[in-house]
Amino acid sequence: MTQTARQDNAAAAAAPETGIERLYSSELANETEFLAARARSVGSRRANEDLAALDLKVRSYSVLSLACSGLKPSQRELAEFLFLDPSQIVALVDALEKRGAVKRKADPRDRRSNIITPTAAGKRLYAEAAAIVQNAGNSALGALSPAERDQLRSLLRRVAFADQQPA
Amino acid sequence: MTQTARQDNAAAAAAPETGIERLYSSELANETEFLAARARSVGSRRANEDLAALDLKVRSYSVLSLACSGLKPSQRELAEFLFLDPSQIVALVDALEKRGAVKRKADPRDRRSNIITPTAAGKRLYAEAAAIVQNAGNSALGALSPAERDQLRSLLRRVAFADQQPA
DNA sequence: TATTGTTATACTCTATAACTATA
DNA sequence: TATAGTTATAGAGTATAACAATA
């Protein structure tokens, strides 16, 4: 609830150094690295806030989404794909399973593996969550035209998956 | 130090479902939200690894960079700009000050404020660090042409700063 | 009274190692 | 022996509240 009063008055003219906007001209503010971090921060903050209505976060939403993808991912695959440790996946799947959104199923070809599939309730939850996330995303990307959003997504996709190959 | 052995052998052909690439086709993998998070993850992981040689991280590098910007930011401004809590800035500035890279200086116009300025050593450190970060960034963006990198940066900039206005 | 910086604290996230069951 | 999942734990990151100095 911080109300940063605008200072576009006489005092501002006397002290134009006050105001964060002046930092926009810093070198840092032009590094892709920094901008990506900040853009993600803007986006996921908003998404987390909105997803709270469904008792989800971006993390659990991601797992639920992949569970609902029809691709029958194993926990190991979720970990690799989401850049998370397998032990973190355990906790995320636990929470989703406890609320009846997903099920663990032993892979018939390798009984060590747990394949994660959604329940009917899980699919409904995902539908709601996906709408919320899309909405939050649109809001975060409000400054861009539809074409620019596609462009951004396409560029990010190439960067995000360029490193996927085993190191 | 996890050496994920490549599996491009007969076993891989027998189990084509193994392999994370199939998850590229999921809905999640096409959400800008997710892609931005992942792209940032790729970039900052690499940057953090490389900056370790200077005993810096992306966070402390950001503070050092702004300190060296000539814009004479206060701690409060650093907190707002970096989306960090003022108490976190304290710790970051403490560490940089302890190693002689930056100094706190009372703002003559408001003695409550600490203006963060670099020492000569801090400027040298920043020069080295900036080269490392730029290098890491280029590596992370390796899949993109120079023009595409500019495009990405420009788009990210608009998203990253769209939300800057007081909430 | 409000704000900057500080400290202390708790909570979340992340990383690591050890254990089990399967292979 | 190697891998998938699990558990426990420690460390880093993040958020909150209270306090001192200054405005």
Side-chain angles (χ1 to χ4, degrees), chain A residues 85-163:
Chain A
D85 194 86
S87 61
Q88 298 176 251
I89 300 294
V90 171
L92 290 166
V93 172
D94 277 354
L96 288 173
E97 193 175 41
K98 180 176 289 182
R99 69 189 282 182
V102 305
K103 283 177 299 189
R104 280 180 237 241
K105 216 177 60 178
D107 184 338
R109 267 167 328 211
D110 184 343
R111 304 214 359 262
R112 292 173 302 181
S113 284
N114 287 337
I115 287 174
I116 309 303
T117 56
T119 63
K123 287 179 188 169
R124 287 194 299 272
L125 179 62
Y126 171 62
E128 286 186 76
I132 286 176
V133 167
Q134 187 178 348
N135 203 34
N138 284 339
S139 161
L141 299 175
L144 305 185
S145 74
E148 286 169 332
R149 294 178 196 191
D150 284 346
Q151 210 168 36
L152 175 59
R153 188 168 53 232
S154 161
L155 291 168
L156 283 175
R157 197 168 206 281
R158 288 164 61 196
V159 175
F161 292 138
D163 207 48

Side-chain angles (χ1 to χ4, degrees), chain B residues 115-138:
Chain B
I115 287 174
I116 309 304
T117 56
T119 63
K123 286 178 188 170
R124 287 193 299 270
L125 179 62
Y126 171 62
E128 285 186 77
I132 285 176
V133 167
Q134 186 178 348
N135 203 33
N138 285 339

Side-chain angles (χ1 to χ4, degrees), chain B residues 39-62:
Chain B
R40 181 216 59 106
S41 196
V42 168
S44 70
R45 179 174 307 196
R46 172 65 185 272
N48 271 325
E49 283 172 12
D50 294 356
L51 281 173
L54 298 180
D55 201 19
L56 286 172
K57 298 184 180 178
V58 169
R59 280 286 148 73
S60 43
Y61 165 77
S62 299

